[in-house]
Amino acid sequence: MFVAAGILASKLVGLVRERVFAHYLGNGIAAAVFKAALRIPNFLQNLFGEGVLSGSFIPVYAGLLGKGDPKEADRVAGAVFGLLALATSVMVAVGMLATPLFVDTIAPGFEGEARSMAIQLVRILFPGTGMLVMSAWCLGVLNSHRKFLLSYLAPVVWNAAIIATLVVAGMRGLTEERLAVVLAYGVVAGCLLQFLVQVPSVMKVLGHFRPTLSTASASVRQVLRSFSTVVLGRGVVQISAYVDTSYASLIADRALSTLTYAQTIYLIPVSLFGMAISAAELPEMSRAAGAGEEVAGKLRSRLEAGARRIAFFVVPSSAALLLIGDVVAGALLQTGRFTASDTRYLWYVLMGSSVGLVASALGRLYASTFYALKDTRTPLRFAVIRVVVGAALAWFLALRLPGLVGLPEYLGTAFLPLAGGLMAWFEAQMLRRTLAAQIGHVRMPESMPKLWGAAIAAGLTGLGIKVALTKVLGPTPGVTEWGGSLLPPPDLHPVLLFLAVVLPFGAVYFGITGALGIPEAKSVLNRVLRRKSR
């Protein structure tokens, strides 16, 4: 609950950030360059950040706390902090020196002024990303002590710094290029604040914290062994993200920024439910991990219960992106320079994103179970297969298929997340089946067919309402670009349209799942009724 609350707050403020960003920078060249520049140094955060520490540091650290050995736990925390700080500093320095190479490799479509601007922004952003790595260390310590809220609320400070920078600088009437540079400094300030806001709480839970570079402890060496494997796994996954960035820069001017906007939206349910449940379960599974059928039974029970909760919330999210994604995107981002035509293009990308949404969320939970068992090699093996095959599939679907079937080239952007989604299903199924060899058969949620039926019915209801409103009010003027003549939105403010469509969508989904006896639906409805009775 605390993880979900923190992530929800962070994501809501993040949506405000994206809306303000869209208002001042829209979906033009400056926006595309900034999005690409922000993604390039993020490889440092993804290599050494939360995902890696969750797979290497938390299982060992939480296990020591569970065994009642706080001194060794503090020793591990200090050594990991020191080694992580050293490695991050070196990587930041190398990244700033090699920025032109990164830009040319990851965004080959940028030339001239766009390339020069990307290099300048990346060099500004690299130190801030290093601070986010240290923020992830704070998260690992606090999560292991069952203090979940602060770490997942901390990104609110990061988002707030960006919003403040955009508003203050944007009101001064700066050019888009100059505004992007000022915004980069605001991002770095937000990174520093995100780290500092967690430090006091971390110091309270650590007994005798002393940063070191020592690897004498067997527990520290265990963290490092797992760390190297998980870093390889995260690095492989990041290759997939950079392949998408490279492909998008070759498709259309707006493709890269649109892809980034889409990721902001479709990662909300993955983070809010997949990440929240996985993050909360990892320390508990790490404390329980061991040998014997009793422990395996506990892991299976926690795993299957978590999968049911994930499916209940992520399945309707997938249906919503597929059938009414333009309504969602319009309410969140359509303002200022981000037009209704941009919303239409974004919907196509969200359609592709909907394919792998459930698999991505479940895959996080399955990978966390392997990390709790201190098995980091299995997730790495399947990640490599996913990325290699996924890169080839994305190349064909995004860059070749549209021309072969007579579709506009810009629609190739929608096929990038489609390829990733298909490979996410492959990875999730392989992880689940391999887990069976260690802890016994792990069932997929039995309610999945019912959930999909309810979600599709809810989505068609929302789509029907949108079509009816278009017939009554007429289509939004000027929505002709990016195929806007197909199911155009009504001439209604995006937020009002969102309320008119999404509220019935939710009512239909909860009504059907409740009538079908889905336990999670009954639990949600009971909580709502109890609050009303108070």
Side-chain angles (χ1 to χ4, degrees):
M1 181 185 68
F2 282 123
V3 175
I7 290 176
L8 177 60
S10 175
K11 290 299 179 182
L12 290 176
V13 180
L15 289 173
V16 174
R17 178 202 72 217
E18 288 299 299
R19 186 174 177 85
V20 175
F21 183 94
H23 181 83
Y24 286 107
L25 285 169
N27 203 21
I29 296 298
V33 172
F34 184 87
K35 295 289 187 181
L38 188 61
R39 177 171 289 190
I40 290 171
N42 271 358
F43 84 90
L44 182 61
Q45 180 187 0
N46 290 310
L47 277 182
F48 294 157
E50 178 188 350
V52 173
L53 293 178
S54 295
S56 58
F57 172 55
I58 292 180
V60 175
Y61 185 67
L64 291 170
L65 294 175
K67 294 176 183 177
D69 193 353
K71 289 185 178 180
E72 181 65 11
D74 289 343
R75 189 177 296 113
V76 169
V80 170
F81 179 91
L83 294 168
L84 194 63
L86 176 61
T88 302
S89 300
V90 172
M91 290 295 291
V92 166
V94 171
M96 294 177 71
L97 290 173
T99 293
L101 176 61
F102 288 138
V103 171
D104 292 340
T105 303
I106 294 170
F110 289 164
E111 298 176 350
E113 292 184 4
R115 178 179 179 274
S116 299
M117 182 181 174
I119 292 172
Q120 180 184 9
L121 293 178
V122 170
R123 283 178 168 157
I124 296 171
L125 292 167
F126 246 116
T129 309
M131 296 306 303
L132 292 182
V133 173
M134 305 314 299
S135 175
W137 172 83
C138 295
L139 181 146
V141 172
L142 294 174
N143 278 12
S144 298
H145 286 270
R146 298 190 174 115
K147 297 185 181 295
F148 295 102
L149 185 59
L150 177 61
S151 294
Y152 290 98
L153 275 178
V156 171
V157 180
W158 181 79
N159 285 313
I162 296 174
I163 293 169
T165 303
L166 277 167
V167 171
V168 173
M171 291 175 64
R172 296 176 58 188
L174 301 177
T175 64
E176 292 183 16
E177 291 75 13
R178 180 58 185 165
L179 179 57
V181 173
V182 174
L183 180 57
Y185 286 106
V187 171
V188 175
C191 295
L192 177 61
L193 291 173
Q194 180 175 330
F195 169 65
L196 293 178
V197 77
Q198 298 177 77
V199 170
S201 296
V202 171
M203 292 300 101
K204 287 182 181 178
V205 299
L206 290 176
H208 301 284
F209 173 66
R210 187 167 62 89
T212 68
L213 298 176
S214 173
T215 59
S217 168
S219 299
V220 173
R221 292 196 296 273
Q222 184 177 8
V223 172
L224 294 179
R225 284 194 297 270
S226 299
F227 190 89
S228 59
T229 307
V230 181
V231 163
L232 286 175
R234 296 295 295 182
V236 167
V237 172
Q238 284 310 297
I239 291 174
S240 177
Y242 294 131
V243 166
D244 286 351
T245 299
S246 178
Y247 289 165
S249 73
L250 298 172
I251 292 172
D253 289 342
R254 300 182 183 182
L256 182 54
S257 54
T258 301
L259 181 65
T260 306
Y261 282 129
Q263 289 172 339
T264 300
I265 294 175
Y266 76 70
L267 284 177
I268 292 174
V270 173
S271 300
L272 189 57
F273 305 112
M275 181 191 295
I277 292 171
S278 301
E281 290 291 347
L282 177 59
E284 300 306 314
M285 289 192 291
S286 298
R287 292 170 185 254
E293 177 56 32
E294 181 180 357
V295 172
K298 290 180 180 178
L299 290 177
R300 284 198 306 273
S301 177
R302 299 194 74 97
L303 190 60
E304 291 175 357
R308 288 194 302 270
R309 295 197 300 273
I310 287 174
F312 179 77
F313 290 105
V314 179
V315 166
S317 302
S318 180
L321 295 187
L322 176 65
L323 296 170
I324 55 172
D326 59 334
V327 176
V328 176
L332 297 176
L333 298 174
Q334 190 173 313
T335 179
R337 294 174 179 171
F338 196 96
T339 66
S341 293
D342 293 320
T343 298
R344 166 62 51 149
Y345 187 23
L346 179 54
W347 184 19
Y348 298 145
V349 183
L350 291 175
M351 288 180 183
S353 305
S354 67
V355 172
L357 207 63
V358 176
S360 296
L362 290 175
R364 285 176 177 266
L365 182 63
Y366 297 148
S368 291
T369 308
F370 279 106
Y371 295 150
L373 294 167
K374 298 181 177 61
D375 177 2
T376 57
R377 294 181 180 274
T378 299
L380 170 61
R381 184 168 68 250
F382 291 127
V384 170
I385 297 173
R386 168 190 168 186
V387 169
V388 172
V389 178
L393 183 61
W395 173 84
F396 174 74
L397 293 179
L399 299 180
R400 293 290 177 265
L401 184 62
L404 293 176
V405 298
L407 292 174
E409 288 185 5
Y410 65 78
L411 284 182
T413 315
F415 291 109
L416 289 174
L418 172 63
L422 294 175
M423 295 311 302
W425 277 110
F426 164 80
E427 183 180 35
Q429 292 304 314
M430 292 299 99
L431 289 171
R432 183 177 65 86
R433 292 183 180 182
T434 308
L435 270 175
Q438 299 191 35
I439 63 173
H441 179 60
V442 178
R443 297 174 298 177
M444 285 286 286
E446 297 176 353
S447 58
M448 193 76 84
K450 296 179 180 179
L451 295 179
W452 277 113
I456 295 299
L460 292 175
T461 300
L463 183 61
I465 292 172
K466 179 191 132 179
V467 172
L469 288 173
T470 302
K471 290 183 178 180
V472 173
L473 302 174
T476 298
V479 187
T480 56
E481 193 178 8
W482 314 115
S485 59
L486 178 66
L487 294 174
D491 187 11
L492 186 67
H493 192 283
V495 175
L496 295 178
L497 178 61
F498 177 86
L499 295 175
V501 171
V502 173
L503 290 179
F505 173 93
V508 170
Y509 179 73
F510 278 100
I512 294 176
T513 52
L516 292 175
I518 304 296
E520 288 75 18
K522 291 184 176 180
S523 175
V524 172
L525 292 173
N526 288 337
R527 289 183 181 181
V528 172
L529 293 175
R530 281 201 302 268
R531 289 181 180 178
K532 286 186 176 181
S533 65
R534 291 175 184 174

